[in-house]
Amino acid sequence: MNCSQEISTESTRSITVGDIISRKILNCPPSTPIIEAAAMMWQARCSAIVITYNQLPLGIWTEADALKLDLTEDQQAVYQAVSSVMSRPVKSIEQHATLEKAERLLQLEQIRHLLVIDQDAQPVGLLSQSDLIRAQGVEHDLLLRNISTLLKRPLVILEAHLSLNQAIKRLREVGVDAAAVFYADDAPYGIFTERDFLKTIATQCTSACVGEVASRPLVMQPDHLSLMQARTIFDQQGFRHLGITGAGGKLVGILSFSEILTGIDHRHVDDLRNALRERRIALEHSQENLHLAQQVIRASRDGIMVTDARGFIQSVNPAFTRITGYSAEESIGNTPALLKSGRHDAAFYQQMWSAVHSDGYWAGEVWNRRKNGEIYPEWLSINVIRNHEGEITKLAAILSDITDRKKSEEQIKNLAFYDVLTGLPNRRLFNDRLTVAIANAHRHDHLLGIVFIDLDLFKRINDTLGHGAGDQLLVEVARRIQREMREGDTAARMGGDEFTLLLQEIEDADAAVAMVHRIIGAIAKPITLANNTLYITASIGISIYPHDGNNSETLIRNADTAMYRAKDDGRNSYQLYTATMNATSLEHLAMESNLRKAIKEREFTLHYQAKVLAESGRITGVEALIRWQHAELGYIAPALFIPLAENIGLIPELGDWVLETAINQCRDWIGKGLGEFRIAVNVSARQLIQPEFSERLIGMLQQARVEPRYLELELTESAVMERPHEVIPMLTALKSHGIHISIDDFGTGYSNFGYLKRLPIDKLKIDLSFIRDVPTNRDDAELVAAMIAMAHKLRLSVIAEGVENRQQIDFLKQHHCDELQGYFITRPLPAKSIEPLLIAGTFALDR
């Protein structure tokens, strides 16, 4: 039996009863005469009929049941109802049951038929012993056994002249379903079976002798025939009984088809099945493993090469061809030497093969050459394969192309030491080079120059044009800086818009200054980005080794300090470091510490300066101004600590305190019955762009129960123009609540009246620098008059700050300025000190 037969045999174990039955059930009602039921069975070549009532099975009548009829005294018995002779109840089995279960049930009940039902107990077919014999996977047992092993029942031979009744009586007495019929010595035997008797009933031939109704001839087979051969004859000839001959051809028995099933040695069958299954499973696993190994080798992204013990290539996989360029045909029969790159000497290969033979394994990095001549890096591992005697029979090599890994390692190295955007050395590499340069300068008594570059107002470009444009600008600036550098010097990007330069072996500070001049000029040239022409400037600080420090940290810090001095001096310039700068930096640090402490401990107070109508002197409101009285340093001017608070990120916290304090003071004055007035509070750009600033401000007013119309926000033009897309919608929302909006210090920023039309503002405050010299300075006077006139055309009111004398008041009244503020009216005063003036409600401008 081949493997496919074994698999087929094993697969029958999973076949169910429903898989082998016919879905047609021969049935009749209980009142059907026996003769009609027999005729139906004979025509259908069916060995059983199911008696049903209202589609429910009541019983079954089979060919075996027909033998129970006694026609000796009553030939009319064949006309009685079939229900009187049927077997009941009908034994059934579920259609999903196994064949083994069906076989056991037939043997247990000693019946030949089972009604097959579905999950709802509805009949779906009929199962017979013959069906089981054909479907059972017992071919191996049938092949190993011959017919003689089943010949255990007595042989019945009937004389041909016997009546049908006598023949049936004889079959019943012996308990068999078939008998041989003897005609004469020189004539072949016939056979009389249950089916032959059924035919006599169906054809009304019950009065004939047995020889007339028997089937002829009886097919004979020797007793040494295998049961498998017998089953094949049954299937091919379509009958169910064989005559069995012994020595000399003598008839020794009759074998029925159903006896094959009852005679099977199921224990032997199960043992044989298990043995065959285990062998088949082992073979399948072996084949699967071999197939899997082949698939893995073919699918592997690593090249695989197998050689014999002498090193001649026997097989390669597709990845080997893809990596090396050599096909299987070009490789097989060659040695791995065809891949040699020439980069390794003989000692390298000697050490490699020595390790392979001594350790059975070697792995390492190798440079090999592809078929096209390209040399590439490869990770190679070699393993020996031995036979049962321990002899090396083959060598298996696995090779991986690590070109991409090498590139990645180089990229990682670049990421560690170079700036991704500009390609310049980063802070880490710059510090390394500076440390080496300082040691070299110390050894040879050279000077070094450290240059710290910061681009001016770079944040405005990022905010206006986007970070993409900002990145392009940084790349272009880096290119311009590098173009001015000497060979051997280093330019690095420290982060953001900051660059540093290392100038080695300079003669003096003037050499560093000359270099810086060239760089300032290169950076200042216009740059076109996204259809915008930009003009960028830089603030630069310079420190010199060893005068300004003898280590990298000190030199960089001092160059940074000098750069900030350049920014303070107006930008677009450079500064050399001096000790005075360092002292100033220390003062800034001390101021920063004091400022943080002052915010935490509430060391600030608010003073208020009155505003009046220019025509009548009526007080319209006050401006809240922050003051800081330090316990040790005394009074510190806002011009000193406000910029510092902005630089270190404290202005939002400080600004919120001012707003909350001013609003609460406004509530107190309203409670005292003061007239209509507003408190004006300065708001910085950093406050405006804070998340939820407007919601927080409205919350302060609601908590203090102060109507928004009592509050006026003063902000500079630059605070609006730096982030117009964010600030304008927020100001519009605040104005819709009733808060007044003023532009402070007008004239010192953009001073763009065209743009002012788009802003949700109520008032312009002319900066005191323009008011100071009017009316004596003609230019200032004309400029202030124009500002007032233009503001009125835009339906904005105007307030002049810094009013200090009668001449200024007369000039401003003449040109219809709406409000005045300055020392002529009152200096900024604490709340209690200015309260009497507010209660009075007016100020005499003609005094």
Side-chain angles (χ1 to χ4, degrees), residues 67 164 367 502 515 542 598 606 831:
L67 290 179
L164 201 56
W367 287 90
L502 168 59
M515 169 73 74
I542 306 169
L606 288 186

Side-chain angles (χ1 to χ4, degrees), residues 215 218 224 260 298 437 484 497 723 764 787:
S215 300
L218 172 60
H224 59 75
I260 294 179
R298 290 189 61 82
E484 302 299 329
D497 60 338
R723 307 278 280 272
L764 291 183
M787 287 181 184

Side-chain angles (χ1 to χ4, degrees), residues 34 59 158 186 236 279 306 334 345 765 805:
I34 294 172
L158 303 175
D186 56 350
Q236 292 176 349
R279 194 186 79 174
V306 178
N334 266 306
D345 56 17
K765 177 182 280 189
N805 55 59

Side-chain angles (χ1 to χ4, degrees), residues 688-725:
L688 288 175
I689 62 175
Q690 268 191 297
E692 301 178 352
F693 169 75
S694 58
E695 291 84 352
R696 198 163 58 254
L697 176 56
I698 296 300
M700 293 178 187
L701 289 167
Q702 291 174 344
Q703 186 174 1
R705 296 182 180 179
V706 173
E707 295 180 25
R709 62 191 179 90
Y710 287 104
L711 178 65
E712 180 178 326
L713 299 182
E714 292 188 0
L715 51 148
T716 63
E717 291 174 86
S718 60
V720 179
M721 301 302 289
E722 281 186 12
R723 307 278 280 272
H725 298 299

Side-chain angles (χ1 to χ4, degrees), residues 231-347:
R231 196 187 81 169
T232 302
I233 294 171
F234 282 135
D235 287 338
Q236 292 176 349
Q237 299 298 327
F239 47 73
R240 298 186 296 171
H241 294 83
L242 281 175
I244 307 303
T245 60
K250 181 182 178 181
L251 181 66
V252 295
I254 294 177
L255 176 69
S256 71
F257 194 26
S258 61
E259 284 178 312
I260 294 179
L261 178 64
T262 57
I264 293 172
D265 183 351
H266 286 282
R267 184 174 59 183
H268 173 261
V269 169
D270 288 341
D271 291 343
L272 189 55
R273 278 175 175 165
N274 290 336
L276 289 173
R277 183 194 303 114
E278 291 174 2
R279 194 186 79 174
R280 177 184 57 77
I281 291 173
L283 181 60
E284 285 180 349
H285 284 174
S286 177
Q287 291 175 332
E288 288 174 2
N289 291 337
L290 178 60
H291 179 69
L292 179 61
Q294 291 173 338
Q295 290 295 102
V296 169
I297 290 172
R298 290 189 61 82
S300 174
R301 299 186 64 184
D302 293 331
I304 298 176
M305 171 178 59
V306 178
T307 75
D308 61 17
R310 297 176 300 164
F312 288 97
I313 299 174
Q314 292 184 327
S315 66
V316 296
N317 71 340
F320 176 91
T321 299
R322 176 177 53 79
I323 294 171
T324 67
Y326 290 100
S327 67
E329 292 77 10
E330 293 170 317
S331 305
I332 294 173
N334 266 306
T335 68
L338 84 163
L339 301 176
K340 276 189 177 181
S341 65
R343 287 199 177 185
H344 304 290
D345 56 17

Side-chain angles (χ1 to χ4, degrees), residues 732-748:
T732 302
L734 291 174
K735 185 174 172 63
S736 69
H737 282 283
I739 296 173
H740 282 247
I741 311 293
S742 299
I743 294 296
D744 194 13
D745 300 336
F746 186 76
T748 61

